[in-house]
Amino acid sequence: MPAPTSAVPQQVRIALGERSYDIQIGAGLLGAPAAWQGLPAATAALVVTNTTVAPLYAARLRESLTAHYGTVHEVVLPDGEEHKDWQTLNLIFDALLSKGCDRKTVLFALGGGVVGDMAGFAAASYMRGVPFVQVPTTLLAQVDSSVGGKTAINHPQGKNMIGAFYQPARVVCDLDTLKTLPPRELSAGLAEVIKYGPIADMDFLDWIEANVDALVRREPAALAHAVKRSCEIKAEVVGQDERESGLRAILNFGHTFGHAIEAGLGYGEWLHGEAVGCGMVMALNLSRRLGLVDEAFERRVTALVARAGLPIVGPDLGAERYLSLMRVDKKAEAGQIRFVVIERPGQAAVRSAPDDVVRAVLADCTR
Ligand code: NAD
Ligand code: GLY
């Protein structure tokens, strides 16, 4: 367990009326009393974590929570995207029921996006809803999955197909936890950071280009800015469209192709962020083929994805397999696949595309 570093915590507000909450971002927050004050009162808390994260950070979190809750229970899930399923979700319900947890029990999701999505779904459905707090420990979870209230498990036929919108009471991003993240996972998180540039903020894209090496080296100031700016952009989008009736879909840039890669190869083979990184390259190729962006912009973002240590060539699943997997995407309507495309640098939209154009993208971008 690395020694905590100190830095002044920053806050980003998710403004959703009575479901509003703060994202706290800073170093050493797991052990900082201020990070845990003012949470919903309850006699018990349940920390949901996994076999990798528990030995690193569960004791520190439990110590902080013990000041607020009479009993702090823990359930340790098997690690991996391939466990983001009913069977593993049920372990959370087993723990809640066997420990006699009532409807005020607060769940704490300590881990990456897999733990966060599953603990959030458990919180949404246990006794029809108990409060929960996101404590993301991967870059991907700090910049994206812990924020905005999407919770889900996978189905063998499609990713994140079973779930609920359910907002946390707070998000606590302890930047120190990123020190133990394997390099491949850090790169996966950078995919979701890069995403925010082409869809919403070209100044941020410029900043990422200038700082990608510092991010890969985990320089604290660079990571702190990347997490904060990503959360601000996501807060802006979610604040306008919590349940993805329109705008929020832009956050899925790269995800239609990416989810097909994940499901097609089998969950866990490629990391979610790797699939999204490569999916963005494919979505840019599509945007260029639809006449929306030029080749220079496609090359620019593709180069950045590669510098972040992410794959830019997709697996050759066969065009027909890609097309059938993408028809199961949640954005699909009446069997027609809809893609997030870049309309112009810094602005995204959702569009359908002729199958022959998609086949041309796949021919360019898979091997
Ligand atoms: P993950 O949760 O599998 O975590 C990646 C790996 O890192 C795991 O092995 C984990 O145990 C380990 N780990 C976590 N924190 C660590 C730490 N500090 N030090 C060392 N190891 C650590 O994957 P992820 O990339 O965090 O999340 C991906 C998931 O998030 C996918 O299931 C995806 O669908 C979901 N997601 C959800 C949303 C949303 O809005 N809800 C958005 C994006 C992604
Ligand atoms: N990660 C996409 C979203 O939260 O909408």
Side-chain angles (χ1 to χ4, degrees), residues 62-78:
R62 285 176 67 129
E63 204 176 304
S64 291
L65 297 182
T66 303
H68 300 272
Y69 302 100
T71 317
V72 181
H73 303 293
E74 187 175 298
V75 59
V76 180
L77 308 178

Side-chain angles (χ1 to χ4, degrees), residues 71-109:
T71 317
V72 181
H73 303 293
E74 187 175 298
V75 59
V76 180
L77 308 178
D79 186 6
E81 182 76 37
E82 65 276 24
H83 297 294
K84 194 178 168 184
D85 58 11
W86 281 116
Q87 207 182 343
T88 309
L89 180 72
N90 222 21
L91 296 177
I92 307 176
F93 298 129
D94 289 347
L96 285 162
L97 288 164
S98 65
K99 291 172 196 317
C101 291
D102 64 24
R103 66 188 338 167
K104 285 194 161 177
T105 305
V106 184
L107 266 59
F108 288 80

Side-chain angles (χ1 to χ4, degrees), residues 144 147 150 195 234 244 248 251-252 255:
D144 191 355
V147 175
K150 280 189 179 176
K195 165 184 90 177
K234 184 151 186 185
E244 201 168 307
R248 184 168 177 168
L251 298 174
N252 286 317
H255 287 57

